[in-house]
Amino acid sequence: MNISAKIQAADAAAEIAAMPLEQLNPAKVSRFYDDTIWPVFERLRREDPIHFTPDSEYGPYWSITKWNDIMAVDTDHEAFSSAEGITLINQVAMAEQEKVMGFRRRGGAGFITMDEPQHGPARKAVSPTVAPSNLHNMAPLVRERAGQILDSLPIGKEFDWVDLVSKELTAMTLATLFDFPFEDRRKLTYWSDMVTNQPGHGPVKSWEHKGQAMMECFGAFQELWDQRVNAEPAGDLISMLAHNPATRDMELATYQGNVILLIVGGNDTTRNTISSSVYSLNKNPDQYAKLRANHDLVLPMVSETIRWQTPLAHMARVATRDVEMGGKTIKKGDRVAMWYISGNRDEEVVDRPNEFIIDRERPRQHMSFGFGVHRCVGNRVAEMQLTIIWEEILKRFPEIKVVGEPTLNWSAFVHGFETLPVIIPYKN
């Protein structure tokens, strides 16, 4: 962190400490963008772990910031529903999107926005594609492609790690999972960015631009559906949906929601953890030295990065009835944000949570994949890609050197990197 960033962080911490508690809005996007969000969650965990924000761009909402409380909400799908969407919804942005794009997708993300009993069968329709046996069969291809990506990188010249490595590996894997035309794989990255950004951020120029991109995406996946539903069942995600009794007759909006869920879910966790691992190891050179000395630490390093980064900062639910938590009453119909990014730093559960430690005793002790029936269906895909890319990195490069601060996402949901400038000084 450079001097100006340190000053900015200190000023933000002082402002947050002095602010009346009821005025704290944890979802203020600018704090995520400039990486000054941490004092907000530290204060809430300490003073008000079940926190109500009465007025914000997202409307009123509750923030759950401690590990055990988050787990209690996440595992109680009867009291906390996903059917009204799984993120905090910017009301102004939603109104603009509805006006320009002509529709309002309330849930908007397929089976993840279903409650039981509909959720389970729909989720199971795609589960075989990401089952351990299928991933075992995919791993050699992922490894081959990871090697091709790394071997194409410039040596001794600055480049953007996010673009040339993180985006490229996830696009290749997503194209394989969808059996999407491989030469068009970066369209998947583009569509994911168009979904998760608002005008002026990422590639989104306007609401009209976003609408055009979504129509292009839905059109391409409608063609895939039409091809797969009339063909013999296969192992890709679209064929699974087209031939499974639980999903083959789903409404068009539900199919489109599933497409968005699978594109974004298959993109953001892996892509941002690949970038964060390089950045975090550079900021903690003692941990990078440990990894270079012991390649068996790759998998625990991956898990620690997933905790440390928390690629999706929150998930949201809506209370189906009045619920008492921490001496507060969450009313029926209230929106509740589970801040995974805060739970992963809970001092009462995680030892030395603000330190990046790649050889923790329990490396998979994190909540970045969620809990309960909505636990991330693709978590093993993410871990496979991340493990393989680092195994291949360590074969080739003694060091990947970060040469500037990253540009972060403008989002309180996707917690990740737009750019990360690096240099690879030399190869093995």
PDB file of all heavy atoms in Angstrom, residues 178 218-231 236-244 246-252 254-256 258-259:
ATOM      1  N   PHE A 178     -19.988 -25.650 -20.616  1.00  0.00           N
ATOM      2  CA  PHE A 178     -21.176 -25.381 -21.422  1.00  0.00           C
ATOM      3  C   PHE A 178     -21.134 -26.084 -22.777  1.00  0.00           C
ATOM      4  O   PHE A 178     -22.154 -26.137 -23.468  1.00  0.00           O
ATOM      5  CB  PHE A 178     -21.311 -23.878 -21.698  1.00  0.00           C
ATOM      6  CG  PHE A 178     -21.815 -23.059 -20.554  1.00  0.00           C
ATOM      7  CD1 PHE A 178     -21.117 -21.940 -20.117  1.00  0.00           C
ATOM      8  CD2 PHE A 178     -23.005 -23.376 -19.910  1.00  0.00           C
ATOM      9  CE1 PHE A 178     -21.593 -21.155 -19.078  1.00  0.00           C
ATOM     10  CE2 PHE A 178     -23.489 -22.601 -18.866  1.00  0.00           C
ATOM     11  CZ  PHE A 178     -22.784 -21.488 -18.449  1.00  0.00           C
ATOM     12  N   PHE A 218     -28.669 -14.180 -24.224  1.00  0.00           N
ATOM     13  CA  PHE A 218     -29.824 -15.070 -24.191  1.00  0.00           C
ATOM     14  C   PHE A 218     -30.079 -15.704 -25.561  1.00  0.00           C
ATOM     15  O   PHE A 218     -30.481 -16.867 -25.647  1.00  0.00           O
ATOM     16  CB  PHE A 218     -31.063 -14.293 -23.731  1.00  0.00           C
ATOM     17  CG  PHE A 218     -30.978 -13.807 -22.305  1.00  0.00           C
ATOM     18  CD1 PHE A 218     -31.638 -12.651 -21.923  1.00  0.00           C
ATOM     19  CD2 PHE A 218     -30.249 -14.502 -21.350  1.00  0.00           C
ATOM     20  CE1 PHE A 218     -31.575 -12.189 -20.604  1.00  0.00           C
ATOM     21  CE2 PHE A 218     -30.171 -14.055 -20.039  1.00  0.00           C
ATOM     22  CZ  PHE A 218     -30.837 -12.889 -19.667  1.00  0.00           C
ATOM     23  N   GLY A 219     -29.821 -14.951 -26.622  1.00  0.00           N
ATOM     24  CA  GLY A 219     -29.994 -15.507 -27.956  1.00  0.00           C
ATOM     25  C   GLY A 219     -29.033 -16.650 -28.222  1.00  0.00           C
ATOM     26  O   GLY A 219     -29.419 -17.697 -28.775  1.00  0.00           O
ATOM     27  N   ALA A 220     -27.760 -16.470 -27.822  1.00  0.00           N
ATOM     28  CA  ALA A 220     -26.761 -17.520 -28.031  1.00  0.00           C
ATOM     29  C   ALA A 220     -27.115 -18.779 -27.253  1.00  0.00           C
ATOM     30  O   ALA A 220     -26.982 -19.907 -27.766  1.00  0.00           O
ATOM     31  CB  ALA A 220     -25.382 -17.003 -27.615  1.00  0.00           C
ATOM     32  N   PHE A 221     -27.592 -18.596 -26.028  1.00  0.00           N
ATOM     33  CA  PHE A 221     -27.907 -19.778 -25.208  1.00  0.00           C
ATOM     34  C   PHE A 221     -29.241 -20.403 -25.593  1.00  0.00           C
ATOM     35  O   PHE A 221     -29.453 -21.595 -25.334  1.00  0.00           O
ATOM     36  CB  PHE A 221     -27.847 -19.418 -23.716  1.00  0.00           C
ATOM     37  CG  PHE A 221     -26.446 -19.504 -23.175  1.00  0.00           C
ATOM     38  CD1 PHE A 221     -25.596 -18.416 -23.221  1.00  0.00           C
ATOM     39  CD2 PHE A 221     -25.961 -20.692 -22.663  1.00  0.00           C
ATOM     40  CE1 PHE A 221     -24.290 -18.500 -22.750  1.00  0.00           C
ATOM     41  CE2 PHE A 221     -24.666 -20.799 -22.187  1.00  0.00           C
ATOM     42  CZ  PHE A 221     -23.822 -19.702 -22.235  1.00  0.00           C
ATOM     43  N   GLN A 222     -30.118 -19.630 -26.243  1.00  0.00           N
ATOM     44  CA  GLN A 222     -31.326 -20.243 -26.780  1.00  0.00           C
ATOM     45  C   GLN A 222     -30.968 -21.174 -27.942  1.00  0.00           C
ATOM     46  O   GLN A 222     -31.541 -22.263 -28.078  1.00  0.00           O
ATOM     47  CB  GLN A 222     -32.311 -19.174 -27.255  1.00  0.00           C
ATOM     48  CG  GLN A 222     -33.662 -19.734 -27.669  1.00  0.00           C
ATOM     49  CD  GLN A 222     -34.364 -20.448 -26.518  1.00  0.00           C
ATOM     50  OE1 GLN A 222     -34.480 -19.901 -25.427  1.00  0.00           O
ATOM     51  NE2 GLN A 222     -34.798 -21.689 -26.755  1.00  0.00           N
ATOM     52  N   GLU A 223     -30.007 -20.755 -28.749  1.00  0.00           N
ATOM     53  CA  GLU A 223     -29.541 -21.622 -29.834  1.00  0.00           C
ATOM     54  C   GLU A 223     -28.936 -22.912 -29.281  1.00  0.00           C
ATOM     55  O   GLU A 223     -29.185 -24.009 -29.815  1.00  0.00           O
ATOM     56  CB  GLU A 223     -28.504 -20.885 -30.680  1.00  0.00           C
ATOM     57  CG  GLU A 223     -29.070 -19.786 -31.558  1.00  0.00           C
ATOM     58  CD  GLU A 223     -28.007 -19.159 -32.456  1.00  0.00           C
ATOM     59  OE1 GLU A 223     -26.951 -19.797 -32.648  1.00  0.00           O
ATOM     60  OE2 GLU A 223     -28.235 -18.039 -32.963  1.00  0.00           O
ATOM     61  N   LEU A 224     -28.151 -22.796 -28.206  1.00  0.00           N
ATOM     62  CA  LEU A 224     -27.571 -23.997 -27.597  1.00  0.00           C
ATOM     63  C   LEU A 224     -28.665 -24.918 -27.073  1.00  0.00           C
ATOM     64  O   LEU A 224     -28.599 -26.140 -27.240  1.00  0.00           O
ATOM     65  CB  LEU A 224     -26.620 -23.605 -26.466  1.00  0.00           C
ATOM     66  CG  LEU A 224     -25.316 -22.902 -26.850  1.00  0.00           C
ATOM     67  CD1 LEU A 224     -24.469 -22.652 -25.607  1.00  0.00           C
ATOM     68  CD2 LEU A 224     -24.524 -23.716 -27.867  1.00  0.00           C
ATOM     69  N   TRP A 225     -29.679 -24.327 -26.425  1.00  0.00           N
ATOM     70  CA  TRP A 225     -30.792 -25.136 -25.910  1.00  0.00           C
ATOM     71  C   TRP A 225     -31.476 -25.885 -27.051  1.00  0.00           C
ATOM     72  O   TRP A 225     -31.721 -27.091 -26.945  1.00  0.00           O
ATOM     73  CB  TRP A 225     -31.791 -24.236 -25.183  1.00  0.00           C
ATOM     74  CG  TRP A 225     -33.010 -24.975 -24.705  1.00  0.00           C
ATOM     75  CD1 TRP A 225     -34.123 -25.293 -25.439  1.00  0.00           C
ATOM     76  CD2 TRP A 225     -33.215 -25.523 -23.393  1.00  0.00           C
ATOM     77  NE1 TRP A 225     -35.014 -25.981 -24.673  1.00  0.00           N
ATOM     78  CE2 TRP A 225     -34.490 -26.142 -23.414  1.00  0.00           C
ATOM     79  CE3 TRP A 225     -32.472 -25.544 -22.230  1.00  0.00           C
ATOM     80  CZ2 TRP A 225     -35.030 -26.772 -22.292  1.00  0.00           C
ATOM     81  CZ3 TRP A 225     -33.002 -26.168 -21.106  1.00  0.00           C
ATOM     82  CH2 TRP A 225     -34.256 -26.773 -21.136  1.00  0.00           C
ATOM     83  N   ASP A 226     -31.779 -25.163 -28.120  1.00  0.00           N
ATOM     84  CA  ASP A 226     -32.484 -25.787 -29.244  1.00  0.00           C
ATOM     85  C   ASP A 226     -31.670 -26.933 -29.843  1.00  0.00           C
ATOM     86  O   ASP A 226     -32.226 -27.959 -30.264  1.00  0.00           O
ATOM     87  CB  ASP A 226     -32.787 -24.740 -30.322  1.00  0.00           C
ATOM     88  CG  ASP A 226     -33.800 -23.692 -29.856  1.00  0.00           C
ATOM     89  OD1 ASP A 226     -34.512 -23.956 -28.870  1.00  0.00           O
ATOM     90  OD2 ASP A 226     -33.858 -22.610 -30.465  1.00  0.00           O
ATOM     91  N   GLN A 227     -30.347 -26.770 -29.870  1.00  0.00           N
ATOM     92  CA  GLN A 227     -29.489 -27.833 -30.379  1.00  0.00           C
ATOM     93  C   GLN A 227     -29.481 -29.035 -29.430  1.00  0.00           C
ATOM     94  O   GLN A 227     -29.623 -30.192 -29.856  1.00  0.00           O
ATOM     95  CB  GLN A 227     -28.060 -27.319 -30.545  1.00  0.00           C
ATOM     96  CG  GLN A 227     -27.881 -26.260 -31.621  1.00  0.00           C
ATOM     97  CD  GLN A 227     -26.526 -25.585 -31.530  1.00  0.00           C
ATOM     98  OE1 GLN A 227     -25.643 -26.019 -30.776  1.00  0.00           O
ATOM     99  NE2 GLN A 227     -26.355 -24.502 -32.288  1.00  0.00           N
ATOM    100  N   ARG A 228     -29.333 -28.785 -28.132  1.00  0.00           N
ATOM    101  CA  ARG A 228     -29.141 -29.865 -27.160  1.00  0.00           C
ATOM    102  C   ARG A 228     -30.442 -30.614 -26.862  1.00  0.00           C
ATOM    103  O   ARG A 228     -30.417 -31.822 -26.626  1.00  0.00           O
ATOM    104  CB  ARG A 228     -28.548 -29.306 -25.853  1.00  0.00           C
ATOM    105  CG  ARG A 228     -27.298 -28.439 -26.042  1.00  0.00           C
ATOM    106  CD  ARG A 228     -26.046 -29.242 -26.416  1.00  0.00           C
ATOM    107  NE  ARG A 228     -25.057 -28.402 -27.077  1.00  0.00           N
ATOM    108  CZ  ARG A 228     -24.245 -27.541 -26.473  1.00  0.00           C
ATOM    109  NH1 ARG A 228     -24.270 -27.388 -25.169  1.00  0.00           N
ATOM    110  NH2 ARG A 228     -23.377 -26.837 -27.185  1.00  0.00           N
ATOM    111  N   VAL A 229     -31.565 -29.880 -26.850  1.00  0.00           N
ATOM    112  CA  VAL A 229     -32.824 -30.539 -26.496  1.00  0.00           C
ATOM    113  C   VAL A 229     -33.239 -31.541 -27.569  1.00  0.00           C
ATOM    114  O   VAL A 229     -33.962 -32.515 -27.290  1.00  0.00           O
ATOM    115  CB  VAL A 229     -33.934 -29.481 -26.248  1.00  0.00           C
ATOM    116  CG1 VAL A 229     -34.459 -28.898 -27.567  1.00  0.00           C
ATOM    117  CG2 VAL A 229     -35.063 -30.065 -25.413  1.00  0.00           C
ATOM    118  N   ASN A 230     -32.772 -31.342 -28.789  1.00  0.00           N
ATOM    119  CA  ASN A 230     -33.098 -32.248 -29.897  1.00  0.00           C
ATOM    120  C   ASN A 230     -31.985 -33.245 -30.199  1.00  0.00           C
ATOM    121  O   ASN A 230     -32.054 -33.970 -31.195  1.00  0.00           O
ATOM    122  CB  ASN A 230     -33.415 -31.431 -31.151  1.00  0.00           C
ATOM    123  CG  ASN A 230     -34.674 -30.588 -30.997  1.00  0.00           C
ATOM    124  OD1 ASN A 230     -35.691 -31.094 -30.541  1.00  0.00           O
ATOM    125  ND2 ASN A 230     -34.602 -29.321 -31.364  1.00  0.00           N
ATOM    126  N   ALA A 231     -30.983 -33.282 -29.368  1.00  0.00           N
ATOM    127  CA  ALA A 231     -29.862 -34.207 -29.548  1.00  0.00           C
ATOM    128  C   ALA A 231     -29.848 -35.227 -28.413  1.00  0.00           C
ATOM    129  O   ALA A 231     -30.607 -35.117 -27.439  1.00  0.00           O
ATOM    130  CB  ALA A 231     -28.547 -33.424 -29.581  1.00  0.00           C
ATOM    131  N   ASP A 236     -22.619 -31.802 -20.849  1.00  0.00           N
ATOM    132  CA  ASP A 236     -22.454 -30.371 -20.610  1.00  0.00           C
ATOM    133  C   ASP A 236     -23.656 -29.823 -19.854  1.00  0.00           C
ATOM    134  O   ASP A 236     -24.725 -30.435 -19.770  1.00  0.00           O
ATOM    135  CB  ASP A 236     -22.269 -29.638 -21.935  1.00  0.00           C
ATOM    136  CG  ASP A 236     -23.501 -29.728 -22.816  1.00  0.00           C
ATOM    137  OD1 ASP A 236     -23.628 -30.721 -23.564  1.00  0.00           O
ATOM    138  OD2 ASP A 236     -24.351 -28.828 -22.743  1.00  0.00           O
ATOM    139  N   LEU A 237     -23.492 -28.603 -19.296  1.00  0.00           N
ATOM    140  CA  LEU A 237     -24.514 -28.015 -18.442  1.00  0.00           C
ATOM    141  C   LEU A 237     -25.833 -27.784 -19.175  1.00  0.00           C
ATOM    142  O   LEU A 237     -26.909 -28.016 -18.608  1.00  0.00           O
ATOM    143  CB  LEU A 237     -24.000 -26.689 -17.868  1.00  0.00           C
ATOM    144  CG  LEU A 237     -22.874 -26.801 -16.844  1.00  0.00           C
ATOM    145  CD1 LEU A 237     -22.276 -25.421 -16.561  1.00  0.00           C
ATOM    146  CD2 LEU A 237     -23.369 -27.435 -15.546  1.00  0.00           C
ATOM    147  N   ILE A 238     -25.787 -27.332 -20.421  1.00  0.00           N
ATOM    148  CA  ILE A 238     -27.014 -27.040 -21.148  1.00  0.00           C
ATOM    149  C   ILE A 238     -27.771 -28.321 -21.477  1.00  0.00           C
ATOM    150  O   ILE A 238     -28.995 -28.399 -21.342  1.00  0.00           O
ATOM    151  CB  ILE A 238     -26.718 -26.235 -22.429  1.00  0.00           C
ATOM    152  CG1 ILE A 238     -25.959 -24.947 -22.096  1.00  0.00           C
ATOM    153  CG2 ILE A 238     -28.020 -25.904 -23.159  1.00  0.00           C
ATOM    154  CD1 ILE A 238     -26.628 -24.055 -21.081  1.00  0.00           C
ATOM    155  N   SER A 239     -27.054 -29.342 -21.885  1.00  0.00           N
ATOM    156  CA  SER A 239     -27.705 -30.624 -22.158  1.00  0.00           C
ATOM    157  C   SER A 239     -28.330 -31.193 -20.884  1.00  0.00           C
ATOM    158  O   SER A 239     -29.437 -31.754 -20.920  1.00  0.00           O
ATOM    159  CB  SER A 239     -26.692 -31.618 -22.740  1.00  0.00           C
ATOM    160  OG  SER A 239     -27.340 -32.827 -23.100  1.00  0.00           O
ATOM    161  N   MET A 240     -27.633 -31.052 -19.758  1.00  0.00           N
ATOM    162  CA  MET A 240     -28.179 -31.521 -18.478  1.00  0.00           C
ATOM    163  C   MET A 240     -29.517 -30.844 -18.189  1.00  0.00           C
ATOM    164  O   MET A 240     -30.497 -31.484 -17.789  1.00  0.00           O
ATOM    165  CB  MET A 240     -27.197 -31.224 -17.350  1.00  0.00           C
ATOM    166  CG  MET A 240     -25.921 -32.038 -17.394  1.00  0.00           C
ATOM    167  SD  MET A 240     -26.185 -33.702 -16.763  1.00  0.00           S
ATOM    168  CE  MET A 240     -24.502 -34.331 -16.809  1.00  0.00           C
ATOM    169  N   LEU A 241     -29.579 -29.521 -18.375  1.00  0.00           N
ATOM    170  CA  LEU A 241     -30.815 -28.780 -18.128  1.00  0.00           C
ATOM    171  C   LEU A 241     -31.904 -29.184 -19.126  1.00  0.00           C
ATOM    172  O   LEU A 241     -33.079 -29.308 -18.770  1.00  0.00           O
ATOM    173  CB  LEU A 241     -30.551 -27.276 -18.225  1.00  0.00           C
ATOM    174  CG  LEU A 241     -29.704 -26.644 -17.112  1.00  0.00           C
ATOM    175  CD1 LEU A 241     -29.328 -25.209 -17.496  1.00  0.00           C
ATOM    176  CD2 LEU A 241     -30.451 -26.661 -15.780  1.00  0.00           C
ATOM    177  N   ALA A 242     -31.512 -29.378 -20.376  1.00  0.00           N
ATOM    178  CA  ALA A 242     -32.488 -29.661 -21.427  1.00  0.00           C
ATOM    179  C   ALA A 242     -33.119 -31.045 -21.303  1.00  0.00           C
ATOM    180  O   ALA A 242     -34.250 -31.255 -21.760  1.00  0.00           O
ATOM    181  CB  ALA A 242     -31.825 -29.514 -22.798  1.00  0.00           C
ATOM    182  N   HIS A 243     -32.410 -31.981 -20.690  1.00  0.00           N
ATOM    183  CA  HIS A 243     -32.908 -33.356 -20.645  1.00  0.00           C
ATOM    184  C   HIS A 243     -33.366 -33.808 -19.267  1.00  0.00           C
ATOM    185  O   HIS A 243     -33.966 -34.879 -19.152  1.00  0.00           O
ATOM    186  CB  HIS A 243     -31.831 -34.310 -21.183  1.00  0.00           C
ATOM    187  CG  HIS A 243     -31.611 -34.201 -22.657  1.00  0.00           C
ATOM    188  ND1 HIS A 243     -32.400 -34.835 -23.588  1.00  0.00           N
ATOM    189  CD2 HIS A 243     -30.695 -33.484 -23.375  1.00  0.00           C
ATOM    190  CE1 HIS A 243     -31.981 -34.534 -24.810  1.00  0.00           C
ATOM    191  NE2 HIS A 243     -30.946 -33.717 -24.709  1.00  0.00           N
ATOM    192  N   ASN A 244     -33.128 -33.037 -18.237  1.00  0.00           N
ATOM    193  CA  ASN A 244     -33.550 -33.438 -16.898  1.00  0.00           C
ATOM    194  C   ASN A 244     -35.039 -33.139 -16.719  1.00  0.00           C
ATOM    195  O   ASN A 244     -35.489 -32.039 -17.043  1.00  0.00           O
ATOM    196  CB  ASN A 244     -32.734 -32.699 -15.841  1.00  0.00           C
ATOM    197  CG  ASN A 244     -32.956 -33.277 -14.448  1.00  0.00           C
ATOM    198  OD1 ASN A 244     -33.995 -33.094 -13.842  1.00  0.00           O
ATOM    199  ND2 ASN A 244     -31.944 -33.984 -13.948  1.00  0.00           N
ATOM    200  N   ALA A 246     -36.692 -32.266 -14.226  1.00  0.00           N
ATOM    201  CA  ALA A 246     -36.956 -31.141 -13.331  1.00  0.00           C
ATOM    202  C   ALA A 246     -36.773 -29.793 -14.015  1.00  0.00           C
ATOM    203  O   ALA A 246     -37.278 -28.776 -13.521  1.00  0.00           O
ATOM    204  CB  ALA A 246     -36.042 -31.226 -12.103  1.00  0.00           C
ATOM    205  N   THR A 247     -36.057 -29.764 -15.150  1.00  0.00           N
ATOM    206  CA  THR A 247     -35.723 -28.472 -15.767  1.00  0.00           C
ATOM    207  C   THR A 247     -36.097 -28.365 -17.249  1.00  0.00           C
ATOM    208  O   THR A 247     -36.096 -27.262 -17.791  1.00  0.00           O
ATOM    209  CB  THR A 247     -34.212 -28.188 -15.624  1.00  0.00           C
ATOM    210  OG1 THR A 247     -33.468 -29.318 -16.100  1.00  0.00           O
ATOM    211  CG2 THR A 247     -33.847 -27.912 -14.182  1.00  0.00           C
ATOM    212  N   ARG A 248     -36.404 -29.464 -17.908  1.00  0.00           N
ATOM    213  CA  ARG A 248     -36.593 -29.400 -19.363  1.00  0.00           C
ATOM    214  C   ARG A 248     -37.823 -28.585 -19.761  1.00  0.00           C
ATOM    215  O   ARG A 248     -37.885 -28.079 -20.884  1.00  0.00           O
ATOM    216  CB  ARG A 248     -36.661 -30.805 -19.951  1.00  0.00           C
ATOM    217  CG  ARG A 248     -37.859 -31.625 -19.533  1.00  0.00           C
ATOM    218  CD  ARG A 248     -37.732 -33.061 -20.023  1.00  0.00           C
ATOM    219  NE  ARG A 248     -38.846 -33.894 -19.579  1.00  0.00           N
ATOM    220  CZ  ARG A 248     -38.816 -35.213 -19.603  1.00  0.00           C
ATOM    221  NH1 ARG A 248     -37.726 -35.856 -20.053  1.00  0.00           N
ATOM    222  NH2 ARG A 248     -39.854 -35.913 -19.184  1.00  0.00           N
ATOM    223  N   ASP A 249     -38.799 -28.441 -18.856  1.00  0.00           N
ATOM    224  CA  ASP A 249     -40.003 -27.670 -19.167  1.00  0.00           C
ATOM    225  C   ASP A 249     -40.042 -26.336 -18.425  1.00  0.00           C
ATOM    226  O   ASP A 249     -41.108 -25.727 -18.312  1.00  0.00           O
ATOM    227  CB  ASP A 249     -41.259 -28.487 -18.818  1.00  0.00           C
ATOM    228  CG  ASP A 249     -41.376 -29.755 -19.662  1.00  0.00           C
ATOM    229  OD1 ASP A 249     -41.075 -29.673 -20.873  1.00  0.00           O
ATOM    230  OD2 ASP A 249     -41.757 -30.800 -19.113  1.00  0.00           O
ATOM    231  N   MET A 250     -38.895 -25.874 -17.938  1.00  0.00           N
ATOM    232  CA  MET A 250     -38.891 -24.617 -17.184  1.00  0.00           C
ATOM    233  C   MET A 250     -39.219 -23.435 -18.094  1.00  0.00           C
ATOM    234  O   MET A 250     -39.020 -23.492 -19.315  1.00  0.00           O
ATOM    235  CB  MET A 250     -37.524 -24.397 -16.521  1.00  0.00           C
ATOM    236  CG  MET A 250     -36.358 -24.293 -17.457  1.00  0.00           C
ATOM    237  SD  MET A 250     -34.788 -24.175 -16.546  1.00  0.00           S
ATOM    238  CE  MET A 250     -33.627 -24.681 -17.812  1.00  0.00           C
ATOM    239  N   GLU A 251     -39.722 -22.366 -17.467  1.00  0.00           N
ATOM    240  CA  GLU A 251     -40.049 -21.160 -18.215  1.00  0.00           C
ATOM    241  C   GLU A 251     -38.778 -20.533 -18.775  1.00  0.00           C
ATOM    242  O   GLU A 251     -37.672 -20.732 -18.255  1.00  0.00           O
ATOM    243  CB  GLU A 251     -40.762 -20.155 -17.303  1.00  0.00           C
ATOM    244  CG  GLU A 251     -42.115 -20.634 -16.799  1.00  0.00           C
ATOM    245  CD  GLU A 251     -42.767 -19.603 -15.905  1.00  0.00           C
ATOM    246  OE1 GLU A 251     -42.126 -18.558 -15.621  1.00  0.00           O
ATOM    247  OE2 GLU A 251     -43.911 -19.843 -15.473  1.00  0.00           O
ATOM    248  N   LEU A 252     -38.953 -19.751 -19.838  1.00  0.00           N
ATOM    249  CA  LEU A 252     -37.810 -19.107 -20.484  1.00  0.00           C
ATOM    250  C   LEU A 252     -37.030 -18.235 -19.506  1.00  0.00           C
ATOM    251  O   LEU A 252     -35.792 -18.272 -19.482  1.00  0.00           O
ATOM    252  CB  LEU A 252     -38.285 -18.267 -21.673  1.00  0.00           C
ATOM    253  CG  LEU A 252     -37.198 -17.463 -22.412  1.00  0.00           C
ATOM    254  CD1 LEU A 252     -36.142 -18.397 -23.002  1.00  0.00           C
ATOM    255  CD2 LEU A 252     -37.833 -16.604 -23.501  1.00  0.00           C
ATOM    256  N   THR A 254     -36.720 -18.564 -16.359  1.00  0.00           N
ATOM    257  CA  THR A 254     -35.964 -19.410 -15.424  1.00  0.00           C
ATOM    258  C   THR A 254     -34.703 -19.940 -16.097  1.00  0.00           C
ATOM    259  O   THR A 254     -33.626 -19.977 -15.486  1.00  0.00           O
ATOM    260  CB  THR A 254     -36.843 -20.571 -14.937  1.00  0.00           C
ATOM    261  OG1 THR A 254     -38.023 -20.049 -14.326  1.00  0.00           O
ATOM    262  CG2 THR A 254     -36.093 -21.438 -13.925  1.00  0.00           C
ATOM    263  N   TYR A 255     -34.818 -20.360 -17.345  1.00  0.00           N
ATOM    264  CA  TYR A 255     -33.632 -20.812 -18.081  1.00  0.00           C
ATOM    265  C   TYR A 255     -32.610 -19.693 -18.195  1.00  0.00           C
ATOM    266  O   TYR A 255     -31.415 -19.893 -17.950  1.00  0.00           O
ATOM    267  CB  TYR A 255     -34.034 -21.307 -19.466  1.00  0.00           C
ATOM    268  CG  TYR A 255     -32.856 -21.634 -20.367  1.00  0.00           C
ATOM    269  CD1 TYR A 255     -31.894 -22.563 -19.978  1.00  0.00           C
ATOM    270  CD2 TYR A 255     -32.709 -21.007 -21.606  1.00  0.00           C
ATOM    271  CE1 TYR A 255     -30.810 -22.860 -20.794  1.00  0.00           C
ATOM    272  CE2 TYR A 255     -31.640 -21.302 -22.436  1.00  0.00           C
ATOM    273  CZ  TYR A 255     -30.686 -22.229 -22.029  1.00  0.00           C
ATOM    274  OH  TYR A 255     -29.609 -22.513 -22.837  1.00  0.00           O
ATOM    275  N   GLN A 256     -33.069 -18.504 -18.559  1.00  0.00           N
ATOM    276  CA  GLN A 256     -32.153 -17.375 -18.664  1.00  0.00           C
ATOM    277  C   GLN A 256     -31.506 -17.063 -17.326  1.00  0.00           C
ATOM    278  O   GLN A 256     -30.314 -16.743 -17.254  1.00  0.00           O
ATOM    279  CB  GLN A 256     -32.901 -16.162 -19.218  1.00  0.00           C
ATOM    280  CG  GLN A 256     -33.341 -16.335 -20.661  1.00  0.00           C
ATOM    281  CD  GLN A 256     -34.232 -15.208 -21.158  1.00  0.00           C
ATOM    282  OE1 GLN A 256     -34.710 -14.389 -20.374  1.00  0.00           O
ATOM    283  NE2 GLN A 256     -34.454 -15.148 -22.465  1.00  0.00           N
ATOM    284  N   ASN A 258     -30.891 -19.266 -14.988  1.00  0.00           N
ATOM    285  CA  ASN A 258     -29.886 -20.304 -14.767  1.00  0.00           C
ATOM    286  C   ASN A 258     -28.617 -20.030 -15.563  1.00  0.00           C
ATOM    287  O   ASN A 258     -27.502 -20.254 -15.080  1.00  0.00           O
ATOM    288  CB  ASN A 258     -30.452 -21.673 -15.150  1.00  0.00           C
ATOM    289  CG  ASN A 258     -31.324 -22.276 -14.070  1.00  0.00           C
ATOM    290  OD1 ASN A 258     -31.040 -22.136 -12.887  1.00  0.00           O
ATOM    291  ND2 ASN A 258     -32.398 -22.934 -14.472  1.00  0.00           N
ATOM    292  N   VAL A 259     -28.773 -19.540 -16.784  1.00  0.00           N
ATOM    293  CA  VAL A 259     -27.614 -19.194 -17.608  1.00  0.00           C
ATOM    294  C   VAL A 259     -26.779 -18.126 -16.917  1.00  0.00           C
ATOM    295  O   VAL A 259     -25.548 -18.249 -16.802  1.00  0.00           O
ATOM    296  CB  VAL A 259     -28.066 -18.724 -19.014  1.00  0.00           C
ATOM    297  CG1 VAL A 259     -26.918 -18.044 -19.749  1.00  0.00           C
ATOM    298  CG2 VAL A 259     -28.582 -19.905 -19.828  1.00  0.00           C
TER     299      VAL A 259
END
